Amino acid sequence: MSRTFDFIVIGAGSGGVAAARRAASHGARVAIIEQARVGGTCVLRGCVPKKLLMYASRHGAALAEASDFGWQWPAAPEFSMSHWARAKATETARLEQLYRQLLADSGVELVPGRARLEAGGEIVVGQQHLQGPHILLATGASADHSLIPGAEQAAGSDEVLDLQRLPGRLTILGGGYIAVEFASILAGLGCAASMRYRGDLPLRGFDPDIRRRIATSLQQQGIALHAGALPQQVTRRADGWQLHVGTGSETTDYLMVALGRRPNTAGLGLERVGLELTAGGAVPVDAQLQTAVRGLYAVGDITHRKDLTPVAVAEGRWLADRLFAASERPPPSLQHVPTAVFSLTPAASVGLAEGECPPGTAVYESDFRPMRLAFGTSRERCYLKLLASPVDRKVLGIHMHGNDAPEIIQSLAMAVTAGLSKDDFDRTMALHPSTAEEFVLMGKPKRYLC
Ligand SMILES: Cc1cc2nc3c(=O)[nH]c(=O)nc-3n(C[C@H](O)[C@H](O)[C@H](O)COP(=O)(O)OP(=O)(O)OC[C@H]3O[C@@H](n4cnc5c(N)ncnc54)[C@H](O)[C@@H]3O)c2cc1C
Ligand SMILES: NC(=O)c1ccc[n+]([C@@H]2O[C@H](COP(=O)([O-])OP(=O)(O)OC[C@H]3O[C@@H](n4cnc5c(N)ncnc54)[C@H](O)[C@@H]3O)[C@@H](O)[C@H]2O)c1
């Protein structure tokens, strides 16, 4: 016997929980199916634990900076990964419990188990059968280790975040968000890190000045960068890994793969309902987040468009409002999504990168030594960039590499979303002394794009 709901959500991660709770708040009868812990990637093995590890690393760097300002310790400080692992487990357990409570308080029924779609749209979870007019796929994505032969058994970010002890030498394959963040964080915790990636610079898709500066600051942290040098094969050894690169080879204690993520669609039964995937294995959706199958929707990483938590959450809520509150609000725009890379010196961006702007775009820049480091010898710089339209001086993009970049760019994302111009920035009073004031004090353009 099938139980009937108004809305059935598969996956209790960022997008699924947001959609389920919002739908229930509109009076819908909602079930959410989860095969593992409640909370999903962001809370349990992504944004949150990653940032907690970033703080561990950042605190170490801050100790060194503090000594330049007069603080002294009797002995050199040491980092304990097992201490961090215990504290992280406690915090993620607290957050999972919070998510469970929020679902219960909203009246959403949590159905534990792995969901499978049957022909006709019925959902099977173990012995249970569920059906309803609206089904949401929100099963996220997982690390893809299939690119390099032999790398299937290597660690991904999930395994690194579960380590009890840090490796001595570590090689990271990839040059995207995860690779850059983990290389910087782990180097800050004392690992001898190296990175191997396909392109000439890390962070494809980011503004070229940010990419160059990130590469420099990773090198200043002591990370060896091997551009255009992914191994063609890797081999597990008793004491670590062997990487076969070109005609040579090298060894490392620990191998981490960060070569992108693949949507979690295996075993979902999508073929039974006639749903075809993209070449990259994602579920295609239209602007209304509707798949090609009537009544079947998808949000978040399973659609593999902008794999960021706020996007999954905004899409989940928007869909629930449309389906159960007759909202006619347009879907969340993916045009001005702010984003950050949480390396020890972080980078953040909103809007267009230089290569996406039209000819004549004015490029404003500021590059300085942060006051925080005035007494030390660190070579860290702070870089700010603003791109303004040649037509109406509208701000097209803002990019920053420097401490507090994620916090500053989040605020400036409002200015870009609102369509403010360089003149609006010019008439904004500065807050002194701050890093962010440089964004309203940029005098003349450094150059114009050809
Ligand atoms: C290391 C790392 C760091 C990140 N850092 C950031 C960051 O700083 N900022 C940011 O915005 N984004 C970050 N992200 C991306 C972010 O975590 C994802 O974009 C976000 O979690 C996607 O949410 P989702 O709802 O689509 O999927 P998820 O949160 O992954 O949830 C999917 C859920 O579905 C469940 N599931 C899968 N298959 C089934 C099934 N058949 N039946 C039942 N349940 C199923 C899974 O167990 C999971 O709980 C990071 C990702 C990683 C890996
Ligand atoms: N701070 C954040 O917001 C944050 C942090 C981590 C992850 N994320 C999200 O999770 C997603 C996944 O992170 P990621 O680092 O795994 O992915 P990514 O897309 O950022 O990076 C993947 C890396 O693998 C490389 N790659 C992909 N296909 C390749 C191929 N065929 N050959 C050689 N190299 C190849 C890419 O060039 C890139 O260097 C990100 O895109 C992002 O949306 C966000």
Side-chain angles (χ1 to χ4, degrees), residues 10-16 33-37 39-42 45-47 50 113-115 138-141 157 178 182 261 264 268 299-301 307-310 312 342:
I10 306 179
S14 304
I33 306 163
E34 174 54 56
Q35 64 178 7
R37 294 171 65 189
T41 303
C42 181
R45 51 191 171 274
C47 334
K50 178 273 306 287
R114 191 169 167 77
T139 54
S157 53
I178 293 179
F182 279 73
R261 294 173 66 80
N264 293 326
L268 263 181
V299 298
D301 288 7
D307 294 355
L308 296 172
T309 296
F342 293 96

Side-chain angles (χ1 to χ4, degrees), residues 332-367:
S333 164
L334 300 188
Q335 205 193 346
H336 299 305
V337 179
T339 185
V341 181
F342 293 96
S343 35
L344 282 205
T345 304
S349 289
V350 60
L352 302 183
E354 193 175 301
E356 298 165 327
C357 291
T361 295
V363 181
Y364 297 85
E365 289 177 310
S366 180
D367 182 349

